[in-house]
Amino acid sequence: MFFGGPDKRRLREFEMQRESERFINKAALALDRGNWLLAVQFLRKVLAEDPRHLPAYHELADIYLHLGHFEAAFDVVHQAVEHYPADYQSSFILANIFLVQNKPDEALCIYRRLGKERLPDQESADLFFNMALAYHAKNQMARALRCLRQALDG
């Protein structure tokens, strides 16, 4: 910035953010109308313009998961985790994808890491419930029951 003039980088970021939000809104409208394909196209456009737009990753992964496209959801969430390794929601979704792909060891690795964070009660309950499912998938019933109790105790 020179003598109070506009900072071109900030102006470009603001314009990019405004454009991204416009496409996010269009994606939401498309989903409301049941047009998931158009919603996916809008969200992909957001990510092409702004690869660090975390809500777009979450929305896109959610669409793919609801459609049963687990590999596509995995790819999207994996990209989000690359950009935001400390983001709880991205990591939780990634672990859930591992769980539905019958990869409980990979899921548990992420769940355990997330369990070390201080979490609100609902997130903690969800985490322990999913850990119970992962241990159940590994046929480790005692651990599964312990996690289930922790989920219920909050």
Side-chain angles (χ1 to χ4, degrees):
M1 187 151 49
F2 183 70
F3 294 118
D7 182 344
K8 289 183 182 179
R9 183 181 56 82
R10 279 191 173 162
L11 187 59
R12 172 68 181 128
E13 287 175 3
F14 175 74
E15 289 171 354
M16 194 167 64
Q17 183 180 10
R18 197 171 73 189
E19 185 75 4
S20 294
E21 292 308 313
R22 192 168 68 88
F23 283 112
I24 289 286
N25 291 337
K26 285 183 175 188
L29 187 60
L31 276 178
D32 288 345
R33 293 181 177 159
N35 191 341
W36 64 268
L37 183 58
L38 187 59
V40 166
Q41 290 172 345
F42 284 131
L43 292 168
R44 288 210 166 278
K45 187 167 181 92
V46 169
L47 293 172
E49 290 290 319
D50 182 5
R52 297 189 56 82
H53 197 285
L54 191 56
Y57 285 110
H58 292 165
E59 281 298 318
L60 189 55
D62 192 45
I63 291 170
Y64 285 140
L65 286 172
H66 279 81
L67 294 172
H69 298 186
F70 300 119
E71 289 300 321
F74 176 85
D75 292 342
V76 169
V77 174
H78 195 268
Q79 291 170 15
V81 170
E82 285 178 2
H83 289 291
Y84 297 96
D87 178 55
Y88 175 87
Q89 186 175 357
S90 297
S91 295
F92 188 73
I93 294 168
L94 185 60
N96 293 345
I97 292 169
F98 281 135
L99 191 57
V100 298
Q101 290 178 327
N102 200 27
K103 298 177 182 175
D105 290 322
E106 289 89 339
L108 281 168
C109 182
I110 296 171
Y111 291 144
R112 286 186 198 115
R113 179 177 53 82
L114 294 175
K116 293 176 184 174
E117 299 177 21
R118 184 176 298 282
L119 301 172
D121 286 345
Q122 184 58 50
E123 286 180 2
S124 181
D126 292 344
L127 178 66
F128 282 115
F129 181 78
N130 285 19
M131 286 178 76
L133 293 175
Y135 281 123
H136 182 270
K138 291 175 54 95
N139 205 24
Q140 295 180 5
M141 299 309 167
R143 286 183 176 176
L145 285 173
R146 242 188 333 256
C147 288
L148 193 54
R149 281 189 201 106
Q150 286 179 285
L152 294 173
D153 291 342

